[in-house]
Amino acid sequence: MIQLENVTKTYPKASRPSLDDVSVGIEKGEFVFFIGPSGSGKSTIIKLLLHEVAPNKGKVIVNSKDVTSMRSWKIPHFRRSIGCVFQDFRLLPNRTAYENVAFALEVIGKTKAVARRVVPEVLELVGLGGKEHRYPHELSGGEQQRVAVARAFVNRPLILLADEPTGNLDPDTSIEIMRLLDRINRTGTTVVMVTHDSNIVNQMRRRVIEIESGRIVRDQPRGVYG
Amino acid sequence: MRVKYVLSEVLVGLWRNVTMTIAMIITMAVSLTMLGASALLYLQANEMKDYYYANIEVAMFLKSDVNDEQRQALDQQLRSDDLVQDYQLETKDKALEKFQTLWRDTPDLVNSVSAEQLPESFRVKLKNPEQYEDFAVKYRDAEGVDEVLDQRELLEKVFGILNSVQTMSLIAAIVMAIAALMLVGNTIQVAAYSKRREVAVMKLVGASNWFIQAPFVLEAVAAGVIGALLGFGILVLGKVFLIDGALQDLTNLLTPLSWDNVLLMLPFMAGAGALVSAVTAWTTLRFYLRV
């Protein structure tokens, strides 16, 4: 599903590479944590998978497509097969929960009729039934993140990327979000999550890949934060 | 649905920053008016050249004491000259007739001149008006010739003036166009900034590039086209009130400015306005919306 082959990424002006000769493979349907201290290069992996940045060396293969050599006009279409959740939710403040999710459908050309059918369903799935018409500021942090998850999942992506999705949430709310991601994972969606929340990693007991100074120092099935 | 979405985004975008939009439209309008005026002058000058050069003559004035022999010699020489297409003698009486029609509005002047005072002349049409110099050299010093005058020299001066007016309006158009371009670029940057959240989400969920960029580009194109319509309106007013109105006496000298030519400016200005705005907006977006 996801394949990094000897990937090196050095940002311009950086003294050392963010990722240094990293190789890793992730199977379809897996749930993987990338952990490590700030600045270790975890988030760079998400950016590489989305093709927000290109590696200096090596290959990034997602859905058996070589992202590194992908023509730039093909990237938007490629991104439709990937859902994304972030620490800061990235919701549109002037749109309701329903409209935020529908927006993601409409801008890739789905009709309003499709949105009317699909959006309530996915909001129900993330546990926001009955709160469709609230604005983000009328929702708690956990609820906002649920809207973000709904938006990421509404296109039924093959892969869900989560960059510190619990970073702004209290422990109890974090656990709820993790249950949600777990449920999405059980539908067959590959979940890749970057975090440094040790509680969560220890509780989930899923594959853990630890990165330090741009190198993989540990790759353990059913691992703990360590 | 997508068309409706894009159009409503364009309207919202134009309205969000309405003072900037107005500034953009005004500079566009002024620039395109200048451009249109310049293009009209260009068309007009070409039509005039065709018209006048087709009817142009060289006047060969004869001395007042010219005798029959000299006149006949010149007649002979002109008849056999390769440069000459056609010629005729303008007698003193004919010259008076012409003088009287030309100055019919000032009877005092007409009455004070008699046929005797006016010079005789040969009116010569050259095969190629450009060969005037060759012709003048040949006849300037001939017996009985007072002066060889080319109407072309006079016309060249008129065309020179028209040309410099055209150049000036073209320069003004370019200067205003630069201002308009900067305003378009700036407006697009502001628009892109105020929609940065939407744009970020659109990129994230994989909206196509044209879909992200189209509202911004169309916003600029709309301003360009509105500017062109205003500019065209100014040209029409100029034609009605200046060319056909206040300045009519002056413009009678020139060939008439046809409505066909004025109407031709509408697609020309709208096209130029739309194209320039679109290219500017699109280029700006390349830098501000890295995809």
Side-chain angles (χ1 to χ4, degrees), chain B residues 12-204:
Chain B
V12 169
L14 285 171
W15 186 247
R16 184 192 307 117
N17 204 353
V18 71
T19 48
M20 194 80 112
T21 306
I22 291 171
M24 189 160 76
I25 288 173
I26 290 175
T27 43
M28 274 286 176
V30 175
S31 169
L32 289 170
T33 307
M34 294 292 177
L35 185 70
S38 167
L40 269 182
L41 266 170
Y42 177 77
L43 290 178
Q44 202 60 22
N46 277 346
E47 270 177 23
M48 279 176 66
K49 275 182 189 163
D50 289 348
Y51 174 79
Y52 279 110
Y53 283 166
N55 293 295
I56 210 163
E57 307 171 320
V58 177
M60 188 159 80
F61 291 102
L62 305 183
K63 288 197 171 115
S64 50
D65 58 354
V66 67
N67 56 36
D68 281 351
E69 211 171 296
Q70 289 167 335
R71 200 181 292 125
Q72 260 164 26
L74 285 170
D75 191 73
Q76 285 285 308
Q77 202 182 344
L78 284 172
R79 187 171 301 160
S80 57
D81 196 321
D82 279 343
L83 295 172
V84 175
Q85 188 182 17
D86 198 10
Y87 73 96
Q88 64 189 72
L89 180 67
E90 191 177 293
T91 60
K92 287 175 184 289
D93 290 336
K94 193 112 173 276
L96 182 65
E97 214 174 279
K98 257 191 175 174
F99 186 84
Q100 281 166 341
T101 42
L102 192 59
W103 299 101
R104 63 183 178 279
D105 295 337
T106 45
D108 288 348
L109 185 65
V110 172
N111 292 335
S112 69
V113 171
S114 69
E116 235 4 81
Q117 287 166 299
L118 294 171
E120 263 181 284
S121 61
F122 278 106
R123 298 286 159 162
V124 181
K125 208 166 193 176
L126 297 180
K127 279 183 184 147
N128 176 5
E130 309 278 332
Q131 284 171 331
Y132 161 73
E133 270 306 317
D134 300 342
F135 180 82
V137 167
K138 234 192 232 176
Y139 291 92
R140 194 179 290 146
D141 300 320
E143 293 278 315
V145 174
D146 183 31
E147 199 184 1
V148 180
L149 259 189
D150 185 13
Q151 293 174 326
R152 223 162 67 100
E153 274 180 48
L154 199 73
L155 284 177
E156 293 291 342
K157 275 184 201 148
V158 174
F159 288 136
I161 294 170
L162 283 181
N163 260 341
S164 50
V165 171
Q166 189 207 333
T167 311
M168 264 160 36
S169 67
L170 196 61
I171 290 172
I174 291 170
V175 172
M176 290 306 292
I178 293 171
L181 290 193
M182 290 183 191
L183 275 173
V184 170
N186 201 305
T187 310
I188 295 305
Q189 277 175 47
V190 171
Y193 183 77
S194 69
K195 280 181 65 181
R196 64 196 180 285
R197 285 202 191 89
E198 279 83 354
V199 169
V201 171
M202 285 195 265
K203 282 195 216 167
L204 197 64

Side-chain angles (χ1 to χ4, degrees), chain A residues 89-136:
Chain A
F89 318 140
R90 301 200 187 170
L91 300 178
L92 302 174
N94 53 351
R95 289 175 202 257
T96 63
Y98 176 93
E99 287 164 351
N100 262 286
V101 179
F103 183 75
L105 287 174
E106 284 165 18
V107 299
I108 61 169
K110 299 278 163 57
T111 61
K112 282 214 155 66
V114 171
R116 269 196 296 274
R117 184 161 44 83
V118 177
V119 177
E121 208 176 283
V122 75
L123 283 172
E124 190 67 41
L125 174 85
V126 300
L128 283 178
K131 295 185 175 171
E132 293 94 337
H133 300 297
R134 303 249 183 117
Y135 285 91

Side-chain angles (χ1 to χ4, degrees), chain A residues 87-184:
Chain A
Q87 182 173 3
D88 55 2
F89 318 140
R90 301 200 187 170
L91 300 178
L92 302 174
N94 53 351
R95 289 175 202 257
T96 63
Y98 176 93
E99 287 164 351
N100 262 286
V101 179
F103 183 75
L105 287 174
E106 284 165 18
V107 299
I108 61 169
K110 299 278 163 57
T111 61
K112 282 214 155 66
V114 171
R116 269 196 296 274
R117 184 161 44 83
V118 177
V119 177
E121 208 176 283
V122 75
L123 283 172
E124 190 67 41
L125 174 85
V126 300
L128 283 178
K131 295 185 175 171
E132 293 94 337
H133 300 297
R134 303 249 183 117
Y135 285 91
H137 67 267
E138 298 169 329
L139 296 168
S140 70
E143 286 167 336
Q144 288 183 50
Q145 193 60 297
R146 285 167 193 270
V147 178
V149 173
R151 182 179 65 192
F153 190 60
V154 71
N155 282 324
R156 307 288 153 159
L158 298 167
I159 301 170
L160 186 72
L161 303 178
D163 192 352
E164 312 248 17
T166 59
N168 275 348
L169 304 175
D170 62 63
D172 290 347
T173 317
S174 298
I175 301 262
E176 285 170 26
I177 292 295
M178 290 317 297
R179 286 210 188 102
L180 180 54
L181 293 183
D182 189 46
R183 206 152 73 228
I184 283 172

